[in-house]
Amino acid sequence: MFANGRTHLAIPGPSVTPDEVLRAMHRTSTDIYGGALLDMTVSIYPDLQKLARTASALPVIYLGNGHAAWEGAIANTLARGDRVLVLATGNFGIGWANQARAMGAEVVVVDFGLTTGIDLSRTEEALRADLASGTPYKAVLMSHVDTATSLCNPVLPVRQVMDAVGHPGLLMVDCIASLGCDRFEMDAWGVDVMVATSQKGLMVPPGISFVYFGAKALAAREGVGFVPAYWDLKPRANPPAFYGLFGGTPPVQHLYGLRAALDMIMAEGLENVWARHAGLAQAVWAAFDAWSAGGPVSLCLSDPSLRSHAVTAAYAGPGNGDALRGWVTKFTGVTLGVSLGRDPAADYFRVGHMGHVNAHDVFGVLGAMDAGLKALDIPHGEGALAAATKVIAAAAKKAA
């Protein structure tokens, strides 16, 4: 009834694509061996470095999704039989572990569950025991933000623990959900490999992914005996021609879209982008706090310091997650995210607030959800929208 008109995608990726990006992509293919495309593409790499806060790491672009980025990172740094430690806090940490295992690595998973984040004492214990074994882990893998749980893990403390025990492994971080949303400092936090994609904080449709290789990771590449030709970073780092940057035909339209998205991010300022995401996330949390005062609807993470600024995972009561998602799609044109990795999945849902999103987008989503709770007779506290607007008003007053 009320869903006609422009719909809104509030899932945690793919995120909403800005009109500027769509216009940049709306073009026929062009000469892929040089000219304007080459000049434009060369300009992308320095801005990708700025986005990750690195002065020296090499960003490599692959045609593919996040799973492609995982594979590109593993293929260039791990040989078959290498041991790796995975610090898992949700569905995607387990997924990266499974992919490393399928590619021949010997994988040890420390699973911290869905709500508590990485425990540094347990991490230190695992690393010390590993050093005593005589065959240390080649890498430690972790998610900055696990999109399934919405849990944001502090990265620097993990590096500090590795350094404190003298562990030589690479620190490899999944930033697929966090890049361009939550603060990430590749150099300052001592990250050796970072993976990301185009379709979340970078606001570009799915299709390209990024792996950043620091100096230690580039050195590790030399010790890997076999790397499949497509994934090999070496010809992409020093290609004989522009064609070699992508292992073949470049993703022409995606590159133009990425250039437009990076222009938008740089014009706003990365610090301002992070602040916008933080403020909008806090508005979402304030609404949930109000709802939770009178019913089952609640945030999955009780500690605000562990919550991502890109996505929020929530509980709605038995079967209510699916019911609420279905109602808001049918009657308001808002699409909420399904739950991943929680059982029963129908009780949960996720709200994406990443990338090209502002206050009126968030207010619209929260209003649609509030109407759905009322229409479905799901018990909930009142004042959610008022609480959200107070957060934004206070933040705007402080920034003025």
Side-chain angles (χ1 to χ4, degrees):
M1 179 186 301
F2 301 112
N4 289 333
R6 187 162 189 167
T7 58
H8 183 79
L9 193 64
I11 66 175
S15 64
V16 173
T17 304
D19 289 339
E20 293 92 329
V21 173
L22 293 174
R23 285 193 294 268
M25 296 181 71
H26 189 67
R27 65 182 65 227
T28 188
S29 292
T30 184
D31 180 9
I32 63 171
Y33 298 99
L37 178 62
L38 172 58
D39 294 340
M40 182 275 296
T41 301
V42 168
S43 75
I44 285 175
Y45 290 88
D47 283 345
L48 286 176
Q49 290 180 310
K50 293 175 185 176
L51 188 66
R53 291 296 183 101
T54 177
S56 58
L58 171 70
V60 173
I61 300 176
Y62 293 105
L63 280 71
N65 56 19
H67 291 73
W70 284 348
E71 189 151 320
I74 293 166
N76 283 284
T77 56
L78 303 178
R80 293 186 68 85
D82 281 345
R83 299 176 66 248
V84 298
L85 176 67
V86 178
L87 309 176
T89 56
N91 191 69
F92 289 96
I94 298 299
W96 202 5
N98 290 339
Q99 189 153 6
R101 189 177 292 115
M103 295 175 70
E106 183 182 328
V107 179
V108 175
V109 176
V110 180
D111 191 342
F112 299 98
L114 307 180
T115 59
T116 60
I118 292 173
D119 184 295
L120 294 177
S121 61
R122 288 178 62 191
T123 300
E124 180 177 350
E125 180 182 348
L127 292 174
R128 289 192 184 280
D130 175 56
L131 288 174
S133 73
T135 54
Y137 296 121
K138 184 72 172 293
V140 176
L141 279 59
M142 63 173 288
S143 298
H144 185 204
V145 169
D146 193 297
T147 325
T149 59
S150 74
L151 203 154
C152 183
N153 288 296
V155 176
L156 179 58
V158 175
R159 165 49 70 192
Q160 291 171 331
V161 167
M162 293 176 69
D163 290 346
V165 303
H167 199 282
L170 300 168
L171 178 57
M172 300 171 63
V173 182
D174 176 344
C175 290
I176 291 169
S178 62
L179 190 64
C181 302
D182 288 275
R183 177 178 291 275
F184 178 75
E185 305 269 2
M186 185 166 184
D187 288 353
W189 294 352
V191 176
D192 299 303
V193 177
M194 185 269 277
V195 300
T197 58
S198 60
Q199 75 269 21
K200 297 181 185 280
L202 269 64
M203 308 176 289
V204 179
I208 53 177
S209 60
F210 315 94
V211 183
Y212 291 69
F213 296 96
K216 190 174 174 182
L218 293 173
R221 164 64 188 86
E222 300 303 322
V224 178
F226 170 73
V227 180
Y230 179 78
W231 297 114
D232 194 354
L233 69 84
K234 293 179 75 173
R236 293 168 181 265
N238 297 288
F242 175 61
Y243 194 71
L245 280 174
F246 305 100
T249 304
V252 175
Q253 286 76 15
H254 275 78
L255 291 172
Y256 278 104
L258 177 60
R259 178 66 272 167
L262 290 170
D263 286 344
M264 294 175 67
I265 292 171
M266 297 306 160
E268 184 176 357
L270 188 54
E271 293 280 352
N272 293 328
V273 170
W274 289 335
R276 171 167 53 84
H277 280 86
L280 294 175
Q282 289 158 13
V284 172
W285 305 340
F288 274 97
D289 286 344
W291 285 325
S292 68
V297 179
S298 57
L299 295 167
C300 291
L301 300 175
S302 59
D303 184 350
S305 70
L306 293 177
R307 298 173 190 163
S308 164
H309 295 156
V311 52
T312 294
Y315 174 72
N320 289 341
D322 279 356
L324 181 62
R325 288 193 312 103
W327 191 92
V328 298
T329 297
K330 181 177 180 180
F331 291 103
T332 74
V334 170
T335 302
L336 301 173
V338 300
S339 177
L340 293 175
R342 284 190 163 90
D343 186 39
D347 299 356
Y348 298 86
F349 66 100
R350 293 176 299 158
V351 183
H353 34 86
M354 56 174 59
H356 190 56
V357 61
N358 61 18
H360 81 71
D361 294 323
V362 166
F363 292 152
V365 171
L366 295 176
M369 291 167 57
D370 198 64
L373 294 173
K374 291 173 169 58
L376 295 169
D377 295 321
I378 298 173
H380 62 282
E382 296 296 333
L385 294 178
T389 58
K390 286 180 181 178
V391 169
I392 297 300
K397 185 179 294 185
K398 185 177 180 180

